[in-house]
Amino acid sequence: MTASTDGELDPPADPLEVARLICLRQLEMAPRTRAQLATTLTKRRIPPEAAQVVLDRFVQVGLIDDGAYALAWVESRHRGRGLARRALSQELRQRGVAEPEATVALDTLDPEQELATARRLVDRKLASTARLETAARVRRLASMLARKGYPPAVAVRVVREALGDEAAELDGLADPSDD
C-alpha cells in the first residue's frame, strides 16, 4: 500500500489491471510472443493467475499472435540478416514460439531462396577476402555461413561456386555430395 497526498493509504493495485498495462506497454514497443510477455509479467511479480487471464484475453482479441510473430520474424531476419532455417528456428525457440507455429513460418523459406541468400552473403564478403590465401578465404566464407545457420553442404557448395577454380584446387574442400 502507498500513501496518497492526503495521508490516507491507497488500496493495492488490481493485479489484472497492472498486468494488462505492462503487456500493453511491451506491445507498444515491439511485437512480443506470449512467452516473452509471460516472462515479463513474472519478473514484475504479477500473480500467475492474473497473468494467465490477461494473456488469454490478449490472445483472444488478437493482440498476441505467435504465428504471425513467427512469420514476420522469419521474413525479416532472413531478408535482413541472411539467417538460414536452423538459426531462425533457434531464435524462435528462444522467444517461446511453439513448434507448430515455428514450423509453419520456417516452411515459408524456399530452399532455393535460402541458397540464393547464401550466395548473396558470400558475394558481399568476397572482396574483403581477396588478399587472403584460398584456404583462408574458404574457411572465412564457410564459417560466416555456418554462423548464420547454413548446413555444411550448402556452405561448401556456395563457397566452391563463388571461388570457382581457385577453390577446386584445394584438397580439403571435399563436396559432401560427392560421397
Side-chain angles (χ1 to χ4, degrees):
M1 291 196 190
T2 58
S4 65
T5 55
D6 60 3
E8 303 250 340
L9 292 179
D10 291 333
D14 175 24
L16 288 173
E17 185 61 19
V18 173
R20 188 179 72 74
L21 289 173
I22 290 169
C23 287
L24 286 173
R25 277 191 220 114
Q26 289 291 306
L27 292 169
E28 281 178 358
M29 291 187 286
R32 307 265 192 240
T33 65
R34 182 185 176 112
Q36 288 172 317
L37 291 171
T39 299
T40 299
L41 294 175
T42 299
K43 286 179 183 175
R44 298 286 301 271
R45 297 190 177 126
I46 300 297
E49 307 79 36
Q52 183 75 33
V53 168
V54 169
L55 293 172
D56 287 347
R57 180 66 180 148
F58 275 39
V59 168
Q60 183 182 32
V61 298
L63 290 173
I64 301 172
D65 184 344
D66 285 358
Y69 177 93
L71 286 168
W73 187 264
V74 166
E75 168 63 23
S76 170
R77 301 289 282 179
H78 179 72
R79 187 175 19 87
R81 302 271 322 263
L83 297 182
R85 185 181 187 92
R86 189 177 73 208
L88 291 166
S89 174
Q90 182 179 357
E91 286 188 351
L92 290 173
R93 267 194 313 278
Q94 288 171 344
R95 283 158 181 74
V97 175
E99 193 63 36
E101 287 91 356
T103 300
V104 168
L106 292 167
D107 285 346
T108 63
L109 283 180
D110 177 354
E112 288 303 315
Q113 178 186 9
E114 266 194 306
L115 194 57
T117 301
R119 285 183 181 121
R120 274 195 309 278
L121 289 168
V122 167
D123 288 346
R124 241 188 293 166
K125 187 94 170 148
L126 270 178
S128 68
T129 65
R131 295 179 191 248
L132 299 174
E133 292 180 20
T134 303
R137 292 181 84 188
V138 168
R139 278 192 311 274
R140 288 216 183 149
L141 295 169
S143 294
M144 180 259 309
L145 290 175
R147 286 189 302 275
K148 292 191 177 282
Y150 290 90
V154 170
V156 168
R157 176 180 170 187
V158 170
V159 170
R160 181 178 274 178
E161 288 172 1
L163 294 177
D165 294 336
E166 183 180 348
E169 296 171 7
L170 285 179
D171 293 335
L173 185 62
D175 189 344
S177 62
D178 289 344
D179 293 333

